[in-house]
C-alpha cells in the first residue's frame, strides 16, 4: 500500500486495464457502441451495483465517458471514441445490419445513400461534428440503383471498415429475391405473372395468391393474371419478400412535348434520372427541397399525358398555377377535376376523392396516361385513397416529405407506386438548400387553478382537449409574436373553438375547413405575397398548401397527431435562407408532454435539433 492508502500505480493500472477489458467485453456481447449499467451487469453476470461501481471507476480514470439520453437513464462509451471525433469512423453491426458513422465524408454518405437508410443522427455536437445511424433494409437492396450484384457489393465494401460474409450473404439473397417475379404483357393483350423457377411459382405465388388474382396457369413458371389484379399481386408478393418487376406494355398515352423553365439542383437531377430509368418511384425530401419542381421535370422527361392526384382542391389549383408559371404548357393543356371544376386535358389535376369514385374513376381509367403523379403520396394506403392506385400508367411517381404513417403501412406506398428516391434531410441542411428549423417544445403551466381542476376531473378525449386548449397558450402566442415581430408566422390548431378564441383575442384571421375556398385562397395569397404577417390555420394548412415564406411556426394544439404532422408543420418554415423557428406548446404534467415527444421524434431522427423549455407560472 502507498502512504495515502491507495494501490501502487502499476497495480492500479492493472486493475483499470482488467476493468476496461471487461467493459469492452460487455460492448461486444451487447453488440452496441454504447451501453447502460443494466446491460453491463447482464453481460458480465454482475449485480447492478457492481456494474455501476465498475463504470464509475472507469469514468474517474478517464477511460469511459457517459451521457444522459432520452431513451435510457445513462449510456456509457469508451472515451477514446470521443478523442477521434474529428475523424471519420465507421462501425458495422452485421447481425443487425446497422452502420454507425461519425464525421462521414461526402463520399461515404453518397455511397451509403445507395444501399442504406439514414435512421437517426445525433445532431450537431459542441465541436461541430455529427454522428449518423444507418440501417440496411431489404427494401434498400431491392431498389438499389445497380445493374449487377458485384457493383453493389463493391459500393458496400468501399465504405465499411471490414468485409462481412454474413452481411454480404444477406445482401445477395435480397438481390436475388428482387428478381424472381415479373409481370409482362402477352401478345394477346393479357397480363402474365412469371416466376424464375417452377418451385417459386408453386410454393410462393400459388400459395399466396388465389383465383381472384390468378386466372389459370400457362406453364410451370407462368400464370394468367386476372384483369385489374396487378396491384394486389404486387402487394401480396412484396409482403412475402418478393418485389415484382413490372414490365407490362401499358398504354403510354399521347405524347406531350413541353419544357421546364427552372434550373434543377444536382440532387433533383439525380432524382429525375433515377425515376426515368425505373419508371416508378417516390421522391422523398423535406418541405422546401423542390419535390414539385422535380415532379414537373420528371413529367417533361416522360413526355406523355399526365394525371396528377392531390388531396385538396387548393393543391389542385396550386399545381395548375405552378405548371403554367414554370413550364411551356398553356391553359388549354392543363385542367383541374374536382368538386368545383371538371376539365380533362393532356395534364389533368384531380383530387384523390374524385379519382376514387366509381363514376369518375372509369373516366380516368379509360384514358391512356403516360404518367400518374401522386402528390402527398403517404395518403395512398388509406382505404378510400387506395382505390386511385388501381389506375394504371407506364410511369408512376409519388411525392412526400415523409412516408411515415401512424399505422406503419409505409411499405404499401412503395408497393403501389414505387421505391423511395431521395436525399437525406441532414445532407440538404448541410448544403444550405433547406434551412434547418430550430424546434423548441415549451411546457406551459395552467392558466389558473380552476382550469387545472376542470382538467383533473375530466376523462378521455375531453381531458386531452382541455389540455390542448389551455388558455395559457394564448398569452404564450402573444409573447412569441412580440419576441419575433417581423417574422411571418403560422399558428396551428386542431380544435376549432381554440382557433376562434385565438383569432378573437389577438385579432388574427383563422383558416379552417369551414372557410370558403375563395376566402382561403385570398388569405393564403396575401400571406405568400407578404401583405399579411400571421395566419391561424387548422389541419387545412398541414400539407399541400404552398406557404414557403413562413419564418415562424407555433403549434398551439394537435399534439395527438402523427409524426408526419409534426414534420409537415415544421416544414412550413423550411426555406433556402434565413432563420426557421418552430415552437410546440404543451401543457405541463399532461399527456401533451408525451405527444410532443412523439411528434418531434421524427424531426430529431432527421437531424433537426429539438430542445425543451419549462415555462414557470410567473414567467413573464
Amino acid at each position: 500500500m502507498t502512504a495515502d492508502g491507495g494501490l501502487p500505480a502499476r497495480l492500479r493500472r492493472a486493475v483499470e486495464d482488467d476493468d476496461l477489458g471487461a467493459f469492452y467485453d460487455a460492448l461486444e456481447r451487447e453488440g452496441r457502441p454504447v451501453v447502460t449499467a443494466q446491460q453491463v451487469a447482464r453481460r458480465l453476470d454482475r449485480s447492478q451495483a457492481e456494474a455501476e461501481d465498475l463504470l464509475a471507476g472507469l469514468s474517474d480514470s478517464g477511460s469511459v465517458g457517459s451521457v444522459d439520453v432520452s431513451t435510457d437513464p445513462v449510456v456509457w462509451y469508451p472515451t477514446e471514441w470521443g478523442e477521434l471525433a474529428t475523424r471519420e469512423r465507421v462501425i458495422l453491426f452485421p447481425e443487425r445490419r446497422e452502420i454507425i458513422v461519425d464525421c462521414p465524408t461526402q463520399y461515404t454518405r453518397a455511397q451509403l445513400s445507395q444501399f442504406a437508410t439514414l435512421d437517426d443522427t445525433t445532431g450537431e455536437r459542441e465541436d461541430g461534428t455529427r454522428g449518423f445511424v444507418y440501417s440496411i433494409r431489404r427494401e434498400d437492396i431491392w431498389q438499389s440503383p445497380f445493374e449487377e450484384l458485384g457493383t453493389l457489393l463493391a459500393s458496400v465494401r468501399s465504405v465499411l471498415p471490414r468485409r462481412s460474409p454474413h452481411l454480404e450473404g444477406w445482401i445477395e439473397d435480397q438481390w436475388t429475391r428482387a428478381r424472381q417475379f415479373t409481370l409482362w404483357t402477352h401478345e394477346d393483350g393479357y397480363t402474365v405473372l412469371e416466376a424464375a423457377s417452377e418451385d417459386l411459382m408453386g410454393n410462393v405465388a400459388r400459395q399466396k395468391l388465389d383465383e381472384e388474382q390468378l386466372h389459370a396457369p400457362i406453364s410451370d413458371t407462368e400464370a394468367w393474371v386476372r384483369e385489374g389484379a396487378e396491384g394486389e399481386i404486387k402487394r401480396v408478393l412484396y409482403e412475402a419478400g418478393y418485389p415484382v418487376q413490372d414490365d407490362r406494355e401499358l398504354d403510354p398515352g399521347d405524347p406531350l412535348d413541353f419544357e421546364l423553365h427552372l434550373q434543377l439542383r444536382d440532387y433533383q437531377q439525380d432524382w429525375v434520372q433515377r425515376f426515368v430509368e425505373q419508371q416508378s418511384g417516390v421522391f422523398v425530401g423535406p418541405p422546401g427541397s423542390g419535390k414539385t419542381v422535380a415532379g414537373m421535370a420528371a413529367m417533361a422527361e416522360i413526355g406523355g399525358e399526365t394525371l396528377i392526384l392531390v388531396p385538396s382542391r387548393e393543391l389542385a389549383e396550386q399545381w395548375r398555377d405552378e405548371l403554367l408559371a414554370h413550364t411551356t404548357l398553356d391553359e388549354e393543356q392543363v385542367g383541374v377535376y374536382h368538386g368545383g371544376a371538371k376539365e380533362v386535358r393532356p395534364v389533368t389535376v384531380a383530387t384523390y376523392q374524385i379519382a376514387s369514385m366509381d363514376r369518375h374513376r372509369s373516366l380516368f381509367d379509360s384514358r391512356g396516361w403516360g404518367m400518374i403523379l401522386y402528390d402527398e403520396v403517404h395518403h395512398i394506403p388509406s382505404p378510400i385513397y387506395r382505390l386511385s392506385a388501381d389506375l394504371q400508367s407506364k410511369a408512376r411517381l409519388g411525392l412526400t416529405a415523409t412516408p411515415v404513417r401512424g399505422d406503419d403501412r409505409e411499405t404499401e406506398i412503395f408497393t403501389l407506386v414505387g421505391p423511395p428516391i431521395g436525399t437525406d434531410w441532414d445532407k440538404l441542411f448541410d448544403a444550405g438548400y433547406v434551412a434547418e428549423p430550430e424546434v423548441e417544445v415549451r411546457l406551459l403551466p395552467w392558466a389558473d387553478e380552476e382550469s387545472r381542476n376542470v382538467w383533473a376531473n375530466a376523462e378521455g378525449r375531453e381531458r386531452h382537449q382541455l389540455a390542448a386548449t389551455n388558455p395559457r397558450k394564448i398569452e404564450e402566442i402573444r409573447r412569441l409574436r412580440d419576441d419575433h415581430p417581423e417574422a411571418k408566422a403560422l399558428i396551428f390548431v386542431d380544435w376549432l373553438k381554440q382557433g376562434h378564441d385565438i383569432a378573437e383575442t389577438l385579432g388574427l384571421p383563422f383558416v379552417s375547413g369551414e372557410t370558403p375556398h375563395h376566402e382561403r385562397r385570398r388569405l393564403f395569397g396575401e400571406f405568400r405575397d407578404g401583405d399579411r404577417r400571421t395566419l391561424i390555420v387548422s389541419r387545412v394548412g398541414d400539407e399541400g398548401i404552398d406557404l414557403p415564406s413562413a419564418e415562424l411556426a407555433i403549434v398551439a394544439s394537435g399534439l395527438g397527431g402523427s409524426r408526419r404532422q409534426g414534420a409537415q408543420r415544421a416544414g412550413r418554415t423550411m426555406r433556402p435562407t434565413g432563420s426557421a423557428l418552430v415552437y410546440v406548446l404543451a401543457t405541463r404534467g399532461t399527456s401533451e408532454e408525451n405527444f410532443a415527444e412523439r411528434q418531434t421524434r421524427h424531426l430529431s431522427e432527421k437531424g433537426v435539433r429539438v430542445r425543451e423549455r419549462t415555462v414557470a407560472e410567473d414567467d413573464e
Side-chain angles (χ1 to χ4, degrees), residues 180-212:
Q180 299 303 298
F181 288 99
T182 305
L183 286 172
W184 53 274
T185 303
H186 192 274
E187 61 182 11
D188 292 334
Y190 59 84
T191 300
V192 176
L193 174 67
E194 182 175 358
S197 67
E198 179 182 349
D199 180 65
L200 282 167
M201 177 57 74
N203 294 329
V204 178
R206 292 201 173 99
Q207 291 294 322
K208 298 291 183 180
L209 303 169
D210 55 31
E211 60 184 15
E212 295 295 322

Side-chain angles (χ1 to χ4, degrees), residues 1-9 11-12:
M1 299 285 287
T2 60
D4 61 4
L7 291 172
L11 182 55
R12 186 173 63 249

Side-chain angles (χ1 to χ4, degrees), residues 133-406:
V133 180
Y134 290 86
S135 63
I136 305 177
R137 309 167 304 172
R138 61 179 190 172
E139 290 84 4
D140 297 320
I141 303 304
W142 292 350
Q143 69 216 15
S144 58
F146 298 99
E147 294 293 332
E148 298 178 354
L149 174 62
T151 310
L152 167 59
L153 291 175
S155 179
V156 173
R157 293 165 185 166
S158 71
V159 296
L160 296 185
R162 64 182 187 278
R163 291 278 297 272
S164 171
H166 175 84
L167 177 62
E168 292 187 7
W170 178 85
I171 289 175
E172 182 174 358
D173 177 65
Q174 296 304 318
W175 172 272
T176 303
R177 278 174 171 266
R179 287 152 180 80
Q180 299 303 298
F181 288 99
T182 305
L183 286 172
W184 53 274
T185 303
H186 192 274
E187 61 182 11
D188 292 334
Y190 59 84
T191 300
V192 176
L193 174 67
E194 182 175 358
S197 67
E198 179 182 349
D199 180 65
L200 282 167
M201 177 57 74
N203 294 329
V204 178
R206 292 201 173 99
Q207 291 294 322
K208 298 291 183 180
L209 303 169
D210 55 31
E211 60 184 15
E212 295 295 322
Q213 289 95 36
L214 298 181
H215 184 72
I218 299 174
S219 69
D220 291 338
T221 60
E222 298 169 320
W224 182 0
V225 173
R226 286 194 180 274
E227 185 176 358
E230 295 86 356
E232 185 68 9
I233 287 173
K234 289 196 288 185
R235 185 188 67 80
V236 170
L237 292 180
Y238 192 102
E239 291 178 351
Y242 294 93
V244 177
Q245 296 188 80
D246 194 343
D247 292 339
R248 287 175 294 161
E249 296 176 3
L250 298 172
D251 185 354
D254 294 332
L256 181 64
D257 187 19
F258 71 94
E259 296 179 358
L260 182 69
H261 293 318
L262 301 173
Q263 184 71 31
L264 295 183
R265 299 166 179 168
D266 291 344
Y267 67 86
Q268 291 171 320
Q269 291 176 333
D270 177 62
W271 290 358
V272 174
Q273 180 179 351
R274 289 175 60 183
F275 171 72
V276 171
E277 292 173 355
Q278 298 172 184
Q279 298 285 291
S280 65
V282 177
F283 290 166
V284 180
S289 59
K291 295 183 295 297
T292 299
V293 172
M296 291 190 291
M299 290 169 53
E301 287 292 327
I302 295 298
E305 296 192 350
T306 301
L307 174 63
I308 301 172
L309 298 176
V310 298
S312 67
R313 290 173 54 176
E314 286 81 10
L315 191 51
E317 299 291 344
Q318 182 179 304
W319 261 98
R320 179 173 62 180
D321 293 344
E322 292 290 308
L323 287 164
L324 295 177
H326 301 303
T327 72
T328 56
L329 293 168
D330 59 41
E331 293 187 359
E332 295 302 314
Q333 294 174 297
V334 182
V336 293
Y337 197 103
H338 52 59
K342 293 181 174 60
E343 307 162 337
V344 178
R345 293 180 181 167
V347 175
T348 301
V349 191
T351 59
Y352 284 107
Q353 294 93 329
I354 287 286
S356 298
M357 297 178 182
D358 289 340
R359 65 180 184 275
H360 300 293
R361 191 168 71 251
S362 59
L363 173 63
F364 296 132
D365 211 8
S366 64
R367 192 179 185 107
W369 300 106
M371 175 174 165
I372 298 180
L373 189 153
Y374 302 84
D375 200 2
E376 307 291 355
V377 73
H378 46 265
H379 289 294
I380 279 290
S382 303
I384 295 177
Y385 291 112
R386 183 172 178 155
L387 295 174
S388 62
D390 291 336
L391 295 169
Q392 299 298 301
S393 69
K394 185 69 175 177
R396 298 154 69 84
L397 174 64
L399 309 180
T400 183
T402 169
V404 170
R405 288 180 54 86

Side-chain angles (χ1 to χ4, degrees), residues 462-528:
E462 181 186 3
R463 187 181 177 92
H464 172 65
Q465 181 177 354
L466 288 168
T469 57
N470 177 4
R472 176 67 171 76
K473 293 183 178 183
I474 297 180
E475 291 307 310
E476 193 66 23
I477 292 169
R478 188 198 301 275
R479 178 189 300 179
L480 291 171
R481 291 300 296 125
D482 291 343
D483 289 344
H484 309 282
E486 301 302 319
K488 293 174 64 177
L490 293 173
I491 302 168
F492 292 95
V493 299
D494 263 14
W495 304 94
L496 295 182
K497 183 179 183 305
Q498 182 186 34
H500 289 300
D501 288 345
I502 297 172
E504 182 178 351
T505 303
L506 303 183
L508 299 171
F510 175 38
V511 180
S512 71
E514 298 175 347
T515 307
H517 289 285
H518 70 275
E519 181 70 3
R520 288 193 216 175
R521 294 194 69 187
R522 180 183 68 80
L523 290 170
F524 286 142
E526 291 175 355
F527 187 87
R528 279 194 297 270

Side-chain angles (χ1 to χ4, degrees), residues 488-492 527 534-535 537 547 550 552-555 572:
K488 293 174 64 177
L490 293 173
I491 302 168
F492 292 95
F527 187 87
T534 306
L535 282 180
V537 292
L547 297 173
L552 173 67
I554 303 173
V555 181
R572 295 293 163 233

Side-chain angles (χ1 to χ4, degrees), residues 18-45:
D18 286 344
D19 286 349
L20 187 58
F23 176 64
Y24 275 107
D25 287 343
L27 285 177
E28 184 175 356
R29 293 171 190 171
E30 191 67 21
R32 296 184 63 198
V34 295
V35 287
T36 64
Q38 184 179 38
Q39 290 167 332
V40 171
R42 183 176 69 250
R43 292 301 180 182
L44 299 182
D45 194 23

